[in-house]
Amino acid sequence: MCRAFRGVIGSIPTVVAIPVGMKPLLKYLHASQGNGQFLAPKSRVLIMGICGSLSDRYKVGDIVLYQDCVYQNKQQECDRTFTAQLHSYLSDKASLVKSMTSDRLIWSAGEKRRLGETLAADVVDMEGFTALEFFNAAGVSVAMLRVVSDDCQHNIPDLTSAINSDGSLNPLPLAIGMLRQPLAATRLIRGSLTALKVLEQITNRLFSGYSLK
């Protein structure tokens, strides 16, 4: 993400890395409340990252802007004004989507398709609902922009054991999980690299020509 701001003139937003998963993120956000990092007056938060597709409509490298996010039977909405502003600027690149958050890694292509059909959701991540619930309660405007890194036609490796309780990745289980499913691992790596490159490009474009103030 930081590389995306090379050549950007003017004020650059604060970039914060967040942990993977709902519980680690919630713990992190509560710990960050004391320093006022996210809850400054009139602050706005743009959450960026990668996601998985639950629909044939969205392929690796596609840019999506969340309208809302569901978890179980609950729903949280992104800030409509903020999202509309971003979509107006990126409408030729980004699609408005409905998302879901999972408290576990969804690695099976079949499960992705079933979830997409059952919940009428387009993409899946592991943090969106938690972030929206936290910031909406605090009165902070939030938008979410992500890039699809894996589609719903192919499995990715089951890397559940590689995610630590604090939301970090454990290198050894990660490597073992990749080696056990080499084809799926190669597909995931390629998809992730493609998505991250697109994310870098769209971030540079966004902050080179659009003000988030």
Side-chain angles (χ1 to χ4, degrees), residues 13 48 70 75 93-94 105 108 110 112 131 136-137 149 153-154 166 172 177 181 188 202 204-205 207:
M48 307 180 75
V70 298
Q75 177 178 319
K93 296 288 185 181
L105 182 68
S108 162
K112 285 185 184 179
N136 284 343
S149 63
Q153 297 299 320
H154 305 91
D166 63 355
L172 182 57
Q181 299 170 281
L188 175 62
I202 202 68
N204 184 271
R205 170 182 169 174
F207 286 93

Side-chain angles (χ1 to χ4, degrees), residues 140-160:
V140 175
S141 298
V142 185
M144 293 196 187
L145 187 154
R146 291 181 182 260
V147 180
V148 175
S149 63
D150 50 282
D151 60 32
C152 65
Q153 297 299 320
H154 305 91
N155 294 343
I156 61 173
D158 182 2
L159 302 176
T160 302

Side-chain angles (χ1 to χ4, degrees), residues 92-103:
D92 63 323
K93 296 288 185 181
S95 301
L96 291 171
V97 298
K98 294 183 176 296
S99 68
M100 67 158 286
T101 293
S102 173
D103 54 12

Side-chain angles (χ1 to χ4, degrees), residues 37-48 66-67 76-86 128 131-145 210 212-213:
Q37 183 175 19
F38 300 117
L39 306 181
K42 298 183 179 180
S43 63
R44 296 202 285 185
V45 173
L46 175 59
I47 296 177
M48 307 180 75
Y66 287 15
Q67 293 177 299
Q76 290 286 333
E77 291 190 353
C78 295
D79 184 86
R80 293 183 180 182
T81 301
F82 192 8
T83 301
Q85 289 173 341
L86 291 167
L132 283 175
E133 188 173 47
F134 177 86
F135 287 117
N136 284 343
V140 175
S141 298
V142 185
M144 293 196 187
L145 187 154
Y210 178 77
L212 293 180
K213 294 181 180 179

Side-chain angles (χ1 to χ4, degrees), residues 43-79:
S43 63
R44 296 202 285 185
V45 173
L46 175 59
I47 296 177
M48 307 180 75
I50 58 177
C51 62
S53 174
L54 302 178
S55 166
D56 291 332
R57 294 190 299 274
Y58 301 103
K59 311 296 185 183
V60 171
D62 286 350
I63 303 164
V64 295
L65 266 172
Y66 287 15
Q67 293 177 299
D68 53 37
C69 191
V70 298
Y71 172 66
Q72 296 181 350
N73 295 320
K74 298 178 288 186
Q75 177 178 319
Q76 290 286 333
E77 291 190 353
C78 295
D79 184 86

